[in-house]
Amino acid sequence: VYYGTLMRCMLSLFQAITGGIDWDDLVSPLLREVSPWLSVVFVLYIAIAMLAIMNVVTGVFVDSVLASAKVDKEQFLLNQARSLFSAQDEEMNWSAFQAKMNTPQMIEFFKGIDVDPSDAKGIFSLIDADSSGSINADEFLNSCVRLQGPSKALETAVLMQEVRHLRRSISGLLERASGI
C-alpha cells in the first residue's frame, strides 16, 4: 500500500517526515515483507530529514536575532552620539572633543563603532567635513554611520579625506597656474 510505485513511495516518505503517516505504519511492511535493513535506511532518512528541517528553522531564527541585534546596536550608537552633545547646535572644537575622550559615553561610542580611541585626532578631522576646526551634532551623527565597522572602514574614510584635501590643493595650484 505504501510502496507500490515510485510516486506512492515518495508520498509515503513525505508523509513520514510531515506527520501524515505514523512511522510504525511505514516501517512494519519493510520489516515483514522486504528486509530489516530497509527499516534502518528508513530511520536514517527520517533522522537526516529532521536534522535538515531543524537546521533551516534554526538558521532563520538566528538570522532574525542577528538583524534585530544590529538594529539595536545602531540605535544605541546614535543615542551615545547624541549624548555627547548637550544641545543640537553646540559646536565642539578639538580641545573639547579631546576633553570628552575619557567620558564613559565617548569610550562606549568608540567601542560601539569598533575604532581605537588612539585614532581620535584622525577621527575628529574626518568628522569635520567642512574643515572648520569644529564639529556640530549633525556632522558627528552623519559621520557615525560612515565610521561604523572594522578598521577597513576607518582606513577608507581617512583615504577619502586625504583625496578631498589633495583635490583642493590641486585645484588651488591649477588656479594659480592659470593666472600666470
Side-chain angles (χ1 to χ4, degrees):
V1 164
Y2 299 115
Y3 304 105
T5 65
L6 179 63
M7 292 304 287
R8 182 64 190 150
C9 182
M10 288 173 48
L11 177 64
S12 296
L13 292 174
F14 175 74
Q15 289 175 323
I17 61 170
T18 59
I21 297 177
D22 189 43
W23 295 348
D24 188 50
D25 293 342
L26 292 172
V27 171
S28 295
L30 291 175
L31 283 170
R32 281 178 284 143
E33 299 173 21
V34 183
S35 169
W37 290 106
L38 279 182
S39 63
V40 172
V41 172
F42 177 79
V43 169
L44 286 174
Y45 163 76
I46 296 295
I48 290 170
M50 288 307 218
L51 286 173
I53 291 169
M54 293 301 288
N55 199 10
V56 169
V57 169
T58 302
V60 169
F61 175 74
V62 168
D63 187 52
S64 68
V65 167
L66 288 176
S68 176
K70 182 180 178 186
V71 169
D72 288 347
K73 180 181 178 185
E74 288 172 358
Q75 188 65 39
F76 173 76
L77 287 175
L78 284 175
N79 288 338
Q80 285 294 103
R82 282 189 192 107
S83 71
L84 293 171
F85 285 86
S86 60
Q88 186 70 4
D89 58 347
E90 179 185 347
E91 292 281 325
M92 187 186 306
N93 59 19
W94 166 242
S95 59
F97 187 81
Q98 194 174 20
K100 289 191 176 194
M101 284 302 298
N102 294 327
T103 63
Q105 292 93 349
M106 189 68 91
I107 292 169
E108 283 297 315
F109 175 74
F110 275 94
K111 280 183 187 176
I113 62 171
D114 199 18
V115 173
D116 191 77
S118 65
D119 296 329
K121 181 67 174 169
I123 290 171
F124 183 84
S125 65
L126 286 174
I127 294 173
D128 186 17
D130 59 0
S131 300
S132 64
S134 63
I135 58 173
N136 61 29
D138 289 333
E139 284 177 319
F140 191 73
L141 291 174
N142 290 333
S143 297
C144 292
V145 175
R146 279 195 341 240
L147 292 177
Q148 246 180 325
S151 62
K152 289 181 182 180
L154 178 61
E155 291 166 359
T156 303
V158 168
L159 184 61
M160 287 172 49
Q161 178 76 9
E162 289 174 358
V163 167
R164 276 189 290 245
H165 178 69
L166 284 173
R167 187 182 307 154
R168 284 187 215 121
S169 298
I170 290 172
S171 295
L173 287 173
L174 288 175
E175 287 176 13
R176 283 188 264 161
S178 65
I180 294 178

